[in-house]
Amino acid sequence: GCPDTDGDGVLDKDDLCPDLPGVVANKGCPELTEAVRKTLNDYAKTILFDTGKATIKDQSAAVLNDIIGILTEYTNSSFLIDGHTDSVGSEASNQKLSEERASSVMNYLISHGIASNRLSSQGFGESRPIDTNNTKAGKANNRRVEISLKK
């Protein structure tokens, strides 16, 4: 018979990840579970930037390393990095800032070994709030980066 090195039921000749047990639906590669997706996003939302800039604060290094760990584990998956802002400032400047922050995270990940063809970034400015912009805490929740699996 044909070999199935990782024993996942996908023959090596058809397995895109022959050394990692995966699922048939993902061509033999590990699949990102809902729990892992949530963890990835929980981490991403805690990335901090300098006020009004796309510069990632030093204290975000640990969480970025956790994100790199997840992305490294799922080498056959591609990810979308979305930037969001609160409503302080003009819509145009918030749009630009959200794009720059998403791009900044993407470039950080690439500079730490994640293949650039697996990542893309986009900004949504203040157009997709997850909380009110009327309180300090609400604004803080709206200033975020989200990382999702590219379908």
Side-chain angles (χ1 to χ4, degrees):
C2 298
D4 177 13
T5 305
D6 57 17
D8 61 5
V10 180
L11 300 178
D12 286 357
K13 68 179 183 61
D14 302 319
D15 198 329
L16 294 181
C17 303
D19 300 322
L20 289 170
V23 293
V24 175
N26 203 24
K27 299 181 178 75
C29 293
E31 195 165 45
L32 223 64
T33 63
E34 202 46 54
V36 173
R37 289 181 205 197
K38 184 182 179 327
T39 300
L40 192 57
N41 235 342
D42 288 347
Y43 286 156
K45 286 179 183 173
T46 66
I47 298 170
L48 301 174
F49 298 90
D50 291 332
T51 304
K53 296 182 179 153
T55 323
I56 299 170
K57 289 191 173 194
D58 290 342
Q59 65 258 46
S60 294
V63 81
L64 282 160
N65 286 336
D66 290 336
I67 290 169
I68 290 165
I70 292 173
L71 301 190
T72 302
E73 200 175 322
Y74 297 92
T75 52
N76 269 56
S77 298
S78 296
F79 298 89
L80 200 53
I81 302 163
D82 297 340
H84 302 272
T85 65
D86 59 28
S87 63
V88 175
S90 75
E91 228 172 286
S93 67
N94 281 333
Q95 180 60 39
K96 185 173 183 286
L97 182 61
S98 68
E99 290 169 10
E100 289 172 351
R101 286 180 170 178
S103 180
S104 181
V105 170
M106 183 175 80
N107 291 333
Y108 182 96
L109 297 173
I110 291 167
S111 73
H112 288 78
I114 303 300
S116 60
N117 64 344
R118 296 178 53 211
L119 303 172
S120 58
S121 68
Q122 58 190 357
F124 291 99
E126 59 188 69
S127 68
R128 294 186 179 179
I130 55 170
D131 205 337
T132 178
N133 275 304
N134 297 329
T135 66
K136 192 174 178 171
K139 286 179 192 163
N141 286 336
N142 289 332
R143 291 189 301 268
R144 69 197 188 281
V145 170
E146 295 178 343
I147 299 177
S148 57
L149 188 65
K150 209 188 286 183
K151 299 286 184 219

